[in-house]
Protein backbone atom coordinates (compact mmCIF):
# COMPACT_ATOMS: atom_id res chain seq x y z
CA UNK A 1 0.00 0.00 0.00
CA UNK A 2 1.42 3.35 -1.03
CA UNK A 3 0.68 6.80 0.42
CA UNK A 4 1.15 5.53 3.97
CA UNK A 5 1.96 9.00 5.18
CA UNK A 6 -1.22 10.51 3.71
CA UNK A 7 -3.23 7.61 5.12
CA UNK A 8 -1.78 8.20 8.56
CA UNK A 9 -2.37 11.95 8.41
CA UNK A 10 -5.98 11.50 7.27
CA UNK A 11 -6.62 8.96 9.97
CA UNK A 12 -5.14 11.18 12.67
CA UNK A 13 -7.17 14.10 11.35
CA UNK A 14 -10.36 12.07 11.37
CA UNK A 15 -9.75 11.05 14.97
CA UNK A 16 -9.32 14.70 15.89
CA UNK A 17 -12.50 15.70 14.07
CA UNK A 18 -14.33 13.01 15.96
CA UNK A 19 -12.72 14.17 19.20
CA UNK A 20 -13.99 17.67 18.49
CA UNK A 21 -17.46 16.22 17.93
CA UNK A 22 -17.30 14.46 21.30
CA UNK A 23 -16.21 17.70 22.98
CA UNK A 24 -19.20 19.48 21.41
CA UNK A 25 -21.55 16.75 22.63
CA UNK A 26 -20.08 17.10 26.13
CA UNK A 27 -20.53 20.88 26.00
CA UNK A 28 -24.22 20.54 25.15
CA UNK A 29 -24.76 17.88 27.81
CA UNK A 30 -23.10 20.09 30.44
CA UNK A 31 -25.03 23.15 29.29
CA UNK A 32 -28.31 21.29 29.73
CA UNK A 33 -27.17 20.04 33.13
CA UNK A 34 -26.38 23.62 34.17
CA UNK A 35 -29.85 24.75 33.09
CA UNK A 36 -31.65 21.91 34.83
CA UNK A 37 -29.76 22.28 38.10
CA UNK A 38 -29.28 26.05 37.79
CA UNK A 39 -25.57 25.45 38.31
CA UNK A 40 -23.99 28.80 37.41
CA UNK A 41 -20.43 27.55 37.93
CA UNK A 42 -20.97 24.77 35.41
CA UNK A 43 -22.57 27.22 32.97
CA UNK A 44 -19.54 29.54 33.23
CA UNK A 45 -17.24 26.60 32.61
CA UNK A 46 -19.15 25.65 29.43
CA UNK A 47 -18.91 29.23 28.14
CA UNK A 48 -15.19 29.37 28.95
CA UNK A 49 -14.46 25.98 27.35
CA UNK A 50 -15.99 27.19 24.09
CA UNK A 51 -12.75 29.09 23.47
CA UNK A 52 -10.87 25.82 23.44
CA UNK A 53 -13.29 24.35 20.91
CA UNK A 54 -12.82 27.41 18.69
CA UNK A 55 -9.07 26.96 18.91
CA UNK A 56 -9.29 23.27 18.00
CA UNK A 57 -11.51 24.07 15.02
CA UNK A 58 -8.96 26.51 13.59
CA UNK A 59 -6.12 24.08 14.23
CA UNK A 60 -8.02 21.35 12.35
CA UNK A 61 -8.83 23.65 9.47
CA UNK A 62 -5.15 24.49 9.21
CA UNK A 63 -4.23 20.81 9.10
CA UNK A 64 -6.75 20.26 6.29
CA UNK A 65 -5.20 23.12 4.32
CA UNK A 66 -1.74 21.77 4.95
CA UNK A 67 -2.68 18.33 3.58
CA UNK A 68 -4.41 19.90 0.58
CA UNK A 69 -1.31 21.93 -0.19
CA UNK A 70 1.31 19.29 0.42
CA UNK A 71 -0.38 16.04 -0.60
CA UNK A 72 -2.59 17.11 -3.53
CA UNK A 73 -5.31 14.65 -2.53
CA UNK A 74 -7.77 13.44 -5.14
CA UNK A 75 -11.17 11.75 -5.24
CA UNK A 76 -12.18 10.27 -1.83
CA UNK A 77 -9.23 11.89 -0.07
CA UNK A 78 -10.11 15.27 -1.55
CA UNK A 79 -13.77 14.89 -0.64
CA UNK A 80 -12.88 13.81 2.88
CA UNK A 81 -10.69 16.87 3.44
CA UNK A 82 -13.27 19.23 1.93
CA UNK A 83 -15.91 17.63 4.17
CA UNK A 84 -13.71 17.91 7.27
CA UNK A 85 -13.31 21.63 6.67
CA UNK A 86 -17.07 22.06 6.64
CA UNK A 87 -17.71 19.66 9.49
CA UNK A 88 -15.30 21.37 11.89
CA UNK A 89 -17.00 24.69 11.13
CA UNK A 90 -20.42 23.14 11.80
CA UNK A 91 -19.15 21.54 15.02
CA UNK A 92 -17.72 24.84 16.20
CA UNK A 93 -21.05 26.54 15.59
CA UNK A 94 -22.84 23.75 17.45
CA UNK A 95 -20.54 24.44 20.37
CA UNK A 96 -21.55 28.12 20.14
CA UNK A 97 -25.16 27.01 20.59
CA UNK A 98 -24.17 24.85 23.57
CA UNK A 99 -22.48 27.92 25.05
CA UNK A 100 -25.65 29.86 24.18
CA UNK A 101 -27.67 27.42 26.24
CA UNK A 102 -25.24 27.85 29.15
CA UNK A 103 -25.62 31.63 28.86
CA UNK A 104 -29.39 31.17 29.34
CA UNK A 105 -28.58 29.41 32.61
CA UNK A 106 -26.58 32.50 33.63
CA UNK A 107 -29.39 34.86 32.56
CA UNK A 108 -32.02 32.95 34.53
CA UNK A 109 -29.67 32.80 37.49
CA UNK A 110 -31.23 31.61 40.75
CA UNK A 111 -34.77 32.68 39.81
CA UNK A 112 -37.08 29.67 40.21
CA UNK A 113 -38.01 28.05 36.90
CA UNK A 114 -41.50 28.94 35.64
CA UNK A 115 -42.07 25.36 34.52
CA UNK A 116 -40.44 21.99 34.94
CA UNK A 117 -38.03 21.34 32.03
CA UNK A 118 -39.31 18.44 29.98
CA UNK A 119 -39.17 19.28 26.30
CA UNK A 120 -35.83 21.09 26.42
CA UNK A 121 -34.05 18.01 27.84
CA UNK A 122 -35.92 15.91 25.27
CA UNK A 123 -34.71 18.17 22.44
CA UNK A 124 -31.18 17.98 23.81
CA UNK A 125 -31.35 14.22 23.96
CA UNK A 126 -32.46 13.96 20.31
CA UNK A 127 -29.89 16.52 19.16
CA UNK A 128 -27.13 14.62 20.95
CA UNK A 129 -28.20 11.28 19.57
CA UNK A 130 -28.26 12.86 16.10
CA UNK A 131 -24.72 14.13 16.60
CA UNK A 132 -23.50 10.74 17.84
CA UNK A 133 -25.20 9.10 14.88
CA UNK A 134 -23.70 11.55 12.40
CA UNK A 135 -20.20 10.94 13.75
CA UNK A 136 -20.79 7.20 13.54
CA UNK A 137 -22.10 7.56 9.95
CA UNK A 138 -18.96 9.53 9.10
CA UNK A 139 -16.79 6.80 10.58
CA UNK A 140 -18.62 4.16 8.56
CA UNK A 141 -19.03 6.36 5.42
CA UNK A 142 -22.69 5.42 5.56
CA UNK A 143 -24.96 7.70 3.49
CA UNK A 144 -28.11 5.76 4.41
CA UNK A 145 -27.53 6.28 8.12
CA UNK A 146 -26.83 9.97 7.45
CA UNK A 147 -30.17 10.37 5.68
CA UNK A 148 -32.04 8.61 8.49
CA UNK A 149 -30.41 10.75 11.17
CA UNK A 150 -31.26 13.96 9.33
CA UNK A 151 -34.94 12.97 9.37
CA UNK A 152 -34.91 13.30 13.16
CA UNK A 153 -34.52 17.05 12.76
CA UNK A 154 -38.31 17.10 12.28
CA UNK A 155 -38.76 15.79 15.84
CA UNK A 156 -36.59 18.59 17.15
CA UNK A 157 -38.50 21.17 15.11
CA UNK A 158 -41.82 19.82 16.42
CA UNK A 159 -40.61 20.10 20.02
CA UNK A 160 -39.36 23.61 19.30
CA UNK A 161 -42.85 24.63 18.10
CA UNK A 162 -44.45 22.94 21.08
CA UNK A 163 -42.16 24.77 23.53
CA UNK A 164 -43.01 28.07 21.86
CA UNK A 165 -46.75 27.47 22.17
CA UNK A 166 -46.43 26.49 25.79
CA UNK A 167 -44.27 29.49 26.65
CA UNK A 168 -46.67 31.88 24.87
CA UNK A 169 -49.46 30.52 27.06
CA UNK A 170 -47.38 31.07 30.19
CA UNK A 171 -46.65 34.65 29.11
CA UNK A 172 -50.32 35.34 28.45
CA UNK A 173 -51.29 33.83 31.77
CA UNK A 174 -48.87 35.94 33.73
CA UNK A 175 -46.74 38.77 32.31
CA UNK A 176 -44.18 38.16 35.07
CA UNK A 177 -43.25 35.00 33.13
CA UNK A 178 -42.24 36.99 30.05
CA UNK A 179 -38.57 37.45 30.87
CA UNK A 180 -37.82 33.83 31.69
CA UNK A 181 -40.14 32.53 28.96
CA UNK A 182 -38.15 34.59 26.44
CA UNK A 183 -34.92 33.09 27.76
CA UNK A 184 -36.33 29.59 27.44
CA UNK A 185 -37.40 30.34 23.88
CA UNK A 186 -33.80 31.23 23.18
CA UNK A 187 -32.70 27.99 24.80
CA UNK A 188 -35.03 26.10 22.48
CA UNK A 189 -33.77 28.11 19.52
CA UNK A 190 -30.18 27.12 20.33
CA UNK A 191 -31.15 23.46 20.36
CA UNK A 192 -33.13 23.75 17.15
CA UNK A 193 -30.13 25.31 15.40
CA UNK A 194 -27.82 22.69 16.90
CA UNK A 195 -29.88 19.92 15.28
CA UNK A 196 -29.94 21.80 11.95
CA UNK A 197 -26.15 21.84 12.00
CA UNK A 198 -26.12 18.08 12.58
CA UNK A 199 -28.03 17.68 9.32
CA UNK A 200 -25.24 19.70 7.64
CA UNK A 201 -22.76 17.14 8.94
CA UNK A 202 -25.00 14.39 7.53
CA UNK A 203 -24.90 16.11 4.12
CA UNK A 204 -21.09 16.04 4.26
CA UNK A 205 -21.14 12.34 5.13
CA UNK A 206 -23.18 11.70 1.98
CA UNK A 207 -20.73 13.82 -0.01
CA UNK A 208 -17.76 11.85 1.29
CA UNK A 209 -19.43 8.53 0.55
CA UNK A 210 -21.00 9.29 -2.83
CA UNK A 211 -19.44 12.48 -4.19
CA UNK A 212 -22.91 14.01 -4.48
CA UNK A 213 -24.16 17.14 -2.78
CA UNK A 214 -27.53 16.36 -1.31
CA UNK A 215 -29.59 18.82 0.70
CA UNK A 216 -31.28 17.09 3.59
CA UNK A 217 -34.50 18.01 5.30
CA UNK A 218 -35.15 21.20 3.35
CA UNK A 219 -38.71 21.40 4.67
CA UNK A 220 -37.43 22.11 8.21
CA UNK B 1 -16.21 1.48 -18.73
CA UNK B 2 -17.92 4.77 -18.15
CA UNK B 3 -18.62 7.24 -20.89
CA UNK B 4 -19.93 10.77 -20.93
CA UNK B 5 -21.16 10.88 -24.44
CA UNK B 6 -23.84 13.48 -24.00
CA UNK B 7 -21.52 16.44 -24.49
CA UNK B 8 -19.76 14.92 -27.49
CA UNK B 9 -21.92 15.16 -30.52
CA UNK B 10 -19.12 15.90 -32.95
CA UNK B 11 -15.96 14.14 -31.94
CA UNK B 12 -12.90 15.07 -33.98
CA UNK B 13 -11.42 11.66 -33.36
CA UNK B 14 -13.52 8.60 -32.69
CA UNK B 15 -11.58 5.59 -31.47
CA UNK B 16 -13.54 2.41 -32.12
CA UNK B 17 -12.51 -0.86 -30.49
CA UNK B 18 -8.90 -0.06 -31.24
CA UNK B 19 -6.34 -2.71 -30.34
CA UNK B 20 -2.61 -2.55 -30.93
CA UNK B 21 0.32 -4.96 -30.75
CA UNK B 22 4.09 -4.66 -30.81
CA UNK B 23 4.97 -8.10 -32.11
CA UNK B 24 3.12 -10.53 -29.85
CA UNK B 25 2.70 -8.02 -27.07
CA UNK B 26 -0.80 -6.50 -27.02
CA UNK B 27 -0.58 -2.93 -25.71
CA UNK B 28 -4.11 -1.61 -26.39
CA UNK B 29 -7.26 -3.65 -25.85
CA UNK B 30 -10.38 -2.63 -27.75
CA UNK B 31 -10.22 1.00 -26.69
CA UNK B 32 -13.27 3.10 -27.63
CA UNK B 33 -13.18 6.82 -26.98
CA UNK B 34 -14.36 10.09 -28.54
CA UNK B 35 -12.11 13.14 -28.58
CA UNK B 36 -14.27 16.29 -28.48
CA UNK B 37 -13.47 19.28 -30.65
CA UNK B 38 -11.71 22.35 -29.23
CA UNK B 39 -11.26 20.73 -25.85
CA UNK B 40 -8.23 19.40 -24.03
CA UNK B 41 -8.33 15.67 -23.42
CA UNK B 42 -5.76 14.20 -21.07
CA UNK B 43 -4.73 10.55 -21.18
CA UNK B 44 -3.39 9.31 -17.86
CA UNK B 45 -2.26 5.97 -16.53
CA UNK B 46 0.77 4.21 -15.09
CA UNK B 47 3.89 3.52 -17.14
CA UNK B 48 3.26 0.88 -19.77
CA UNK B 49 -0.51 1.32 -19.79
CA UNK B 50 -0.51 2.17 -23.50
CA UNK B 51 -1.12 5.90 -23.30
CA UNK B 52 1.79 6.83 -25.57
CA UNK B 53 0.82 4.11 -28.04
CA UNK B 54 -2.72 5.48 -28.13
CA UNK B 55 -1.70 9.09 -28.72
CA UNK B 56 0.80 7.98 -31.39
CA UNK B 57 -1.97 6.00 -33.04
CA UNK B 58 -3.85 9.25 -33.64
CA UNK B 59 -1.40 10.32 -36.33
CA UNK B 60 0.00 6.93 -37.28
CA UNK B 61 3.36 7.48 -35.62
CA UNK B 62 3.39 3.81 -34.59
CA UNK B 63 3.56 2.77 -38.25
CA UNK B 64 7.27 3.49 -38.12
CA UNK B 65 7.84 0.92 -35.36
CA UNK B 66 8.69 -2.59 -36.64
CA UNK B 67 6.18 -5.25 -35.59
CA UNK B 68 3.37 -2.76 -34.94
CA UNK B 69 -0.09 -4.01 -35.80
CA UNK B 70 -3.52 -2.53 -35.14
CA UNK B 71 -7.17 -3.59 -35.26
CA UNK B 72 -10.32 -1.52 -34.98
CA UNK B 73 -10.64 2.00 -36.30
CA UNK B 74 -9.76 5.58 -35.52
CA UNK B 75 -12.04 7.95 -37.35
CA UNK B 76 -10.72 11.44 -37.97
CA UNK B 77 -13.74 13.53 -38.89
CA UNK B 78 -15.40 10.33 -40.03
CA UNK B 79 -12.45 9.02 -42.07
CA UNK B 80 -10.68 5.88 -40.84
CA UNK B 81 -7.06 6.97 -40.64
CA UNK B 82 -6.02 3.30 -40.85
CA UNK B 83 -7.99 2.92 -44.08
CA UNK B 84 -6.18 1.77 -47.23
CA UNK B 85 -6.17 5.03 -49.17
CA UNK B 86 -5.08 7.31 -46.39
CA UNK B 87 -1.78 9.19 -46.70
CA UNK B 88 -0.08 9.21 -43.29
CA UNK B 89 1.88 12.35 -44.22
CA UNK B 90 -1.35 14.26 -44.82
CA UNK B 91 -2.75 12.89 -41.53
CA UNK B 92 0.35 14.11 -39.71
CA UNK B 93 -0.06 17.59 -41.18
CA UNK B 94 -3.63 17.81 -39.91
CA UNK B 95 -2.79 16.13 -36.60
CA UNK B 96 0.45 17.59 -35.26
CA UNK B 97 2.60 16.22 -32.50
CA UNK B 98 4.93 17.52 -29.81
CA UNK B 99 7.18 15.13 -27.94
CA UNK B 100 8.47 14.64 -24.44
CA UNK B 101 11.90 16.12 -25.03
CA UNK B 102 12.01 19.33 -27.05
CA UNK B 103 13.53 18.40 -30.42
CA UNK B 104 14.33 21.60 -32.30
CA UNK B 105 16.37 21.29 -35.46
CA UNK B 106 19.95 22.61 -35.45
CA UNK B 107 18.79 25.57 -37.50
CA UNK B 108 17.72 29.17 -36.83
CA UNK B 109 14.55 29.82 -34.88
CA UNK B 110 12.94 31.04 -38.10
CA UNK B 111 13.90 27.93 -40.05
CA UNK B 112 12.64 25.68 -37.28
CA UNK B 113 9.15 27.11 -37.69
CA UNK B 114 9.36 27.50 -41.47
CA UNK B 115 10.50 23.91 -41.97
CA UNK B 116 7.12 22.23 -42.00
CA UNK B 117 5.72 24.99 -44.20
CA UNK B 118 8.47 24.52 -46.79
CA UNK B 119 8.01 20.73 -46.74
CA UNK B 120 4.29 21.21 -47.30
CA UNK B 121 4.92 23.59 -50.23
CA UNK B 122 3.45 26.60 -48.45
CA UNK B 123 2.93 29.44 -50.95
CA UNK B 124 1.85 32.31 -48.71
CA UNK B 125 3.94 34.87 -46.86
CA UNK B 126 6.44 32.76 -44.96
CA UNK B 127 7.58 35.55 -42.64
CA UNK B 128 4.08 36.38 -41.60
CA UNK B 129 3.15 32.79 -41.00
CA UNK B 130 6.28 32.16 -38.89
CA UNK B 131 5.46 35.22 -36.77
CA UNK B 132 1.83 34.07 -36.46
CA UNK B 133 2.92 30.62 -35.25
CA UNK B 134 5.46 32.03 -32.80
CA UNK B 135 2.86 34.42 -31.41
CA UNK B 136 0.37 31.59 -30.95
CA UNK B 137 3.03 29.59 -29.13
CA UNK B 138 3.62 32.62 -26.85
CA UNK B 139 7.26 32.75 -27.90
CA UNK B 140 7.35 35.71 -30.32
CA UNK B 141 8.19 38.44 -27.80
CA UNK B 142 11.12 36.44 -26.45
CA UNK B 143 12.72 35.60 -29.82
CA UNK B 144 11.61 38.24 -32.35
CA UNK B 145 15.02 39.97 -32.41
CA UNK B 146 16.99 36.74 -32.81
CA UNK B 147 14.93 34.89 -35.41
CA UNK B 148 17.83 34.34 -37.78
CA UNK B 149 20.71 34.88 -35.40
CA UNK B 150 19.95 32.23 -32.83
CA UNK B 151 19.62 28.51 -33.30
CA UNK B 152 16.79 26.53 -31.74
CA UNK B 153 19.48 25.02 -29.53
CA UNK B 154 20.26 28.43 -27.98
CA UNK B 155 16.85 28.57 -26.29
CA UNK B 156 15.99 27.33 -22.81
CA UNK B 157 14.15 24.01 -22.43
CA UNK B 158 10.77 25.69 -22.01
CA UNK B 159 11.40 27.97 -24.99
CA UNK B 160 12.51 25.01 -27.08
CA UNK B 161 9.27 23.20 -26.26
CA UNK B 162 7.24 26.28 -27.24
CA UNK B 163 9.33 26.46 -30.44
CA UNK B 164 8.30 22.87 -31.17
CA UNK B 165 4.69 23.83 -30.52
CA UNK B 166 5.08 26.80 -32.91
CA UNK B 167 6.58 24.45 -35.50
CA UNK B 168 3.60 22.13 -35.13
CA UNK B 169 1.10 25.02 -35.25
CA UNK B 170 2.65 26.63 -38.34
CA UNK B 171 0.97 24.15 -40.67
CA UNK B 172 -2.40 24.83 -38.99
CA UNK B 173 -3.21 21.36 -37.67
CA UNK B 174 -6.72 20.63 -36.47
CA UNK B 175 -5.46 18.49 -33.65
CA UNK B 176 -2.34 18.90 -31.53
CA UNK B 177 -1.02 15.81 -29.77
CA UNK B 178 1.39 16.28 -26.89
CA UNK B 179 3.23 13.32 -25.37
CA UNK B 180 4.45 14.32 -21.90
CA UNK B 181 5.35 17.81 -23.13
CA UNK B 182 6.42 19.14 -19.73
CA UNK B 183 8.26 16.21 -18.21
CA UNK B 184 11.65 17.81 -18.98
CA UNK B 185 10.60 21.31 -17.88
CA UNK B 186 10.74 23.24 -14.62
CA UNK B 187 7.50 24.43 -12.94
CA UNK B 188 7.61 27.94 -14.46
CA UNK B 189 8.15 26.65 -17.99
CA UNK B 190 5.45 24.04 -17.31
CA UNK B 191 2.97 26.71 -16.22
CA UNK B 192 3.67 28.67 -19.42
CA UNK B 193 2.97 25.62 -21.57
CA UNK B 194 -0.22 24.88 -19.62
CA UNK B 195 -1.47 28.46 -20.06
CA UNK B 196 -0.62 28.23 -23.73
CA UNK B 197 -2.58 24.99 -24.15
CA UNK B 198 -5.64 26.62 -22.60
CA UNK B 199 -5.28 29.53 -25.03
CA UNK B 200 -4.88 27.23 -28.01
CA UNK B 201 -7.79 24.99 -27.12
CA UNK B 202 -10.27 27.56 -28.38
CA UNK B 203 -9.07 26.87 -31.92
CA UNK B 204 -7.23 23.52 -31.83
CA UNK B 205 -8.30 20.18 -30.38
CA UNK B 206 -5.65 19.06 -27.92
CA UNK B 207 -4.78 15.61 -26.65
CA UNK B 208 -2.13 15.40 -23.98
CA UNK B 209 -0.49 12.37 -22.43
CA UNK B 210 0.82 13.03 -18.97
CA UNK B 211 1.93 11.01 -15.97
CA UNK B 212 1.48 14.13 -13.86
CA UNK B 213 -2.06 13.85 -12.54
CA UNK B 214 -2.08 17.35 -11.17
CA UNK B 215 -1.29 18.57 -14.66
CA UNK B 216 -4.15 16.56 -16.13
CA UNK B 217 -6.46 17.97 -13.46
CA UNK B 218 -5.29 21.55 -14.08
CA UNK B 219 -5.24 21.66 -17.81
CA UNK B 220 -7.75 19.24 -19.31
CA UNK B 221 -11.50 19.26 -19.92
CA UNK B 222 -11.75 15.48 -20.28
CA UNK B 223 -9.63 12.73 -18.85
CA UNK B 224 -9.17 9.15 -20.00
CA UNK B 225 -7.63 6.63 -17.61
CA UNK B 226 -5.84 3.69 -19.20
CA UNK B 227 -4.67 0.60 -17.36
CA UNK B 228 -2.90 -2.38 -18.94
CA UNK B 229 -4.01 -1.26 -22.38
CA UNK B 230 -7.64 -0.96 -21.38
CA UNK B 231 -9.66 2.23 -21.12
CA UNK B 232 -10.98 2.07 -17.57
CA UNK B 233 -12.80 5.37 -17.35
CA UNK B 234 -13.36 8.44 -19.47
CA UNK B 235 -15.27 11.57 -18.53
CA UNK B 236 -15.16 15.25 -17.60
CA UNK B 237 -11.94 15.95 -15.71
CA UNK B 238 -13.73 17.50 -12.75
CA UNK B 239 -15.64 14.26 -12.24
CA UNK B 240 -12.69 11.93 -12.73
CA UNK B 241 -10.74 13.79 -10.04
CA UNK B 242 -13.51 14.35 -7.52
CA UNK B 243 -15.73 11.31 -7.91
CA UNK B 244 -14.32 8.64 -10.19
CA UNK B 245 -16.74 5.80 -10.82
CA UNK B 246 -14.31 2.91 -11.19
CA UNK B 247 -12.40 1.77 -8.11
CA UNK B 248 -9.28 1.31 -10.26
CA UNK B 249 -9.41 4.99 -11.25
CA UNK B 250 -9.90 5.93 -7.61
CA UNK B 251 -6.90 3.80 -6.59
CA UNK B 252 -4.70 5.34 -9.27
CA UNK B 253 -5.56 9.00 -8.81
CA UNK B 254 -5.39 8.85 -5.03
CA UNK B 255 -1.95 7.31 -5.41
CA UNK B 256 -2.95 4.00 -3.84
CA UNK B 257 -2.20 1.98 -6.90
CA UNK B 258 -0.63 -1.45 -6.47
Amino acid sequence: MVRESLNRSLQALEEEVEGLGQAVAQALLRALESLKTQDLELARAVVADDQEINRRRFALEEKCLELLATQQPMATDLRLLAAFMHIVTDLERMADHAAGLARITLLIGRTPLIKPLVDIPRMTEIALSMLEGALEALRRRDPEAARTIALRDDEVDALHDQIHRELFLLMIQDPRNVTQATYLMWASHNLERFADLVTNVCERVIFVATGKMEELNVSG
Amino acid sequence: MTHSWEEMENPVLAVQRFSAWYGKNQVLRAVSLDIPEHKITAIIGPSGCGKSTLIRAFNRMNDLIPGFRAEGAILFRGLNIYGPKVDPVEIRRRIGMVFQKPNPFPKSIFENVAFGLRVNGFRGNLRERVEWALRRAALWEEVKDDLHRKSGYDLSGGQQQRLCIARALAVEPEVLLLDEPCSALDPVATAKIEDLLRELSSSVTIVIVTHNMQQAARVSDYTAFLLLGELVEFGPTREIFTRPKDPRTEAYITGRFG
Side-chain angles (χ1 to χ4, degrees):
Chain A
M1 187 64 124
V2 276
R3 301 219 79 173
E4 260 321 308
S5 133
L6 175 62
N7 284 342
R8 270 200 304 274
S9 304
L10 283 173
Q11 207 174 344
L13 191 61
E14 184 154 1
E15 279 163 22
E16 284 188 61
V17 171
E18 199 173 324
L20 184 67
Q22 301 301 347
V24 173
Q26 274 303 311
L28 186 65
L29 203 60
R30 290 165 77 214
L32 175 73
E33 188 59 24
S34 78
L35 186 66
K36 283 201 305 198
T37 58
Q38 298 194 285
D39 182 342
L40 306 188
E41 271 315 300
L42 183 56
R44 278 191 207 100
V46 174
V47 173
D49 290 350
D50 190 43
Q51 293 302 314
E52 172 61 12
I53 289 179
N54 293 348
R55 190 198 60 74
R56 282 167 73 178
R57 170 256 171 125
F58 283 124
L60 284 173
E61 215 174 300
E62 219 169 284
K63 280 190 190 164
C64 290
L65 281 175
E66 190 185 306
L67 287 179
L68 285 172
T70 57
Q71 301 290 324
Q72 285 103 37
M74 294 289 191
T76 309
D77 301 335
L78 178 64
R79 300 205 301 268
L80 195 60
L81 279 172
F84 283 165
M85 291 187 73
H86 283 279
I87 289 172
V88 297
T89 309
D90 288 334
L91 289 173
E92 188 267 328
R93 287 178 61 205
M94 283 182 221
D96 289 343
H97 289 296
L101 191 63
R103 283 198 186 86
I104 302 293
T105 304
L106 297 175
L107 286 169
I108 293 175
R110 308 275 184 212
T111 323
L113 294 174
I114 55 174
K115 69 183 264 310
L117 298 181
V118 179
D119 289 335
I120 284 179
R122 180 81 193 114
M123 272 178 99
T124 309
E125 195 186 303
I126 299 170
L128 281 173
S129 107
M130 286 173 72
L131 175 56
E132 291 292 342
L135 294 172
E136 173 69 20
L138 175 65
R139 224 174 4 249
R140 301 209 325 259
R141 312 279 190 268
D142 184 345
E144 245 344 285
R147 286 189 196 99
T148 311
I149 291 153
L151 289 175
R152 299 203 70 193
D153 190 41
D154 290 343
E155 294 174 46
V156 175
D157 289 347
L159 283 167
H160 181 55
D161 291 344
Q162 189 173 311
I163 288 168
H164 267 232
R165 280 193 300 273
E166 198 183 345
L167 290 169
F168 273 130
L169 276 177
L170 285 171
M171 288 194 261
I172 293 162
Q173 279 166 14
D174 185 345
R176 281 175 298 179
N177 287 336
V178 167
T179 306
Q180 199 185 102
T182 312
Y183 292 154
L184 291 174
M185 279 181 173
W186 272 106
S188 172
H189 171 78
N190 276 302
L191 292 164
E192 190 266 327
R193 290 297 301 140
F194 189 102
D196 282 349
L197 289 164
V198 179
T199 65
N200 288 2
V201 175
C202 293
E203 286 170 0
R204 297 298 151 189
V205 171
I206 294 172
F207 174 69
V208 169
T210 67
K212 303 249 165 61
M213 304 276 188
E214 195 173 308
E215 200 170 358
L216 294 173
N217 217 8
V218 279
S219 60
Chain B
M1 241 296 306
T2 317
H3 291 290
S4 249
W5 302 111
E6 63 276 10
E7 293 179 57
M8 290 186 205
E9 283 172 8
N10 294 308
V12 176
L13 288 158
V15 184
Q16 297 178 340
R17 297 195 56 77
F18 190 79
S19 298
W21 290 260
Y22 295 124
K24 285 182 179 163
N25 184 21
Q26 185 169 7
V27 284
L28 288 174
R29 295 168 190 278
V31 170
S32 293
L33 162 81
D34 281 0
I35 303 290
E37 183 156 33
H38 295 171
K39 298 276 186 239
I40 302 178
T41 300
I43 303 173
I44 62 168
S47 300
C49 71
K51 54 190 190 297
S52 285
T53 303
L54 180 60
I55 200 172
R56 284 155 185 267
F58 289 151
N59 69 349
R60 292 189 54 170
M61 283 300 218
N62 295 313
D63 293 13
L64 313 170
I65 298 170
F68 177 79
R69 181 167 69 83
E71 269 177 19
I74 296 181
L75 306 185
F76 174 45
R77 300 200 185 281
L79 170 80
N80 185 2
I81 63 169
Y82 284 86
K85 287 181 183 160
V86 171
D87 174 11
V89 176
E90 170 64 7
I91 289 292
R92 287 176 204 138
R93 190 198 65 73
R94 295 174 66 189
I95 304 177
M97 192 156 199
V98 172
F99 299 89
Q100 189 169 350
K101 275 170 80 180
N103 55 349
F105 303 133
K107 293 167 179 288
S108 72
I109 292 166
F110 184 91
E111 283 306 320
N112 261 280
V113 182
F115 180 81
L117 294 164
R118 291 193 204 280
V119 169
N120 279 287
F122 179 72
R123 289 203 196 90
N125 185 326
L126 201 61
R127 238 204 92 81
E128 271 178 18
R129 178 59 84 83
V130 168
E131 177 179 339
W132 172 86
L134 285 166
R135 280 190 189 279
R136 291 192 76 202
L139 189 59
W140 175 252
E141 290 302 325
E142 294 162 52
V143 300
K144 62 183 177 190
D145 299 326
D146 305 309
L147 289 180
H148 299 280
R149 229 172 338 133
K150 278 193 179 171
S151 143
Y153 284 6
D154 294 330
L155 301 175
S156 72
Q159 287 173 326
Q160 286 188 10
Q161 197 59 304
R162 278 180 284 143
L163 180 64
C164 294
I165 292 174
R167 188 175 65 194
L169 291 174
V171 295
E172 288 196 273
E174 292 156 66
V175 180
L176 187 60
L177 308 171
L178 302 109
D179 190 357
E180 306 262 16
C182 301
S183 58
L185 303 184
D186 68 39
V188 175
T190 297
K192 277 190 186 165
I193 300 274
E194 289 178 3
D195 284 347
L196 170 62
L197 296 183
R198 280 250 70 96
E199 279 287 311
L200 291 173
S201 69
S202 62
S203 52
V204 184
T205 300
I206 293 174
V207 183
I208 178 172
V209 160
T210 175
H211 58 211
N212 178 338
M213 276 180 301
Q214 277 70 37
Q215 178 169 64
R218 279 195 301 268
V219 83
S220 71
D221 302 297
Y222 289 88
T223 297
F225 171 55
L226 284 184
L227 183 62
L228 301 168
E230 200 187 312
L231 179 64
V232 172
E233 190 164 347
F234 176 58
T237 297
R238 60 178 185 279
E239 284 183 20
I240 297 282
F241 286 100
T242 58
R243 42 174 191 268
K245 296 193 175 81
D246 194 291
R248 291 168 293 176
T249 316
E250 168 90 27
Y252 182 67
I253 65 168
T254 57
R256 290 190 177 77
F257 192 79

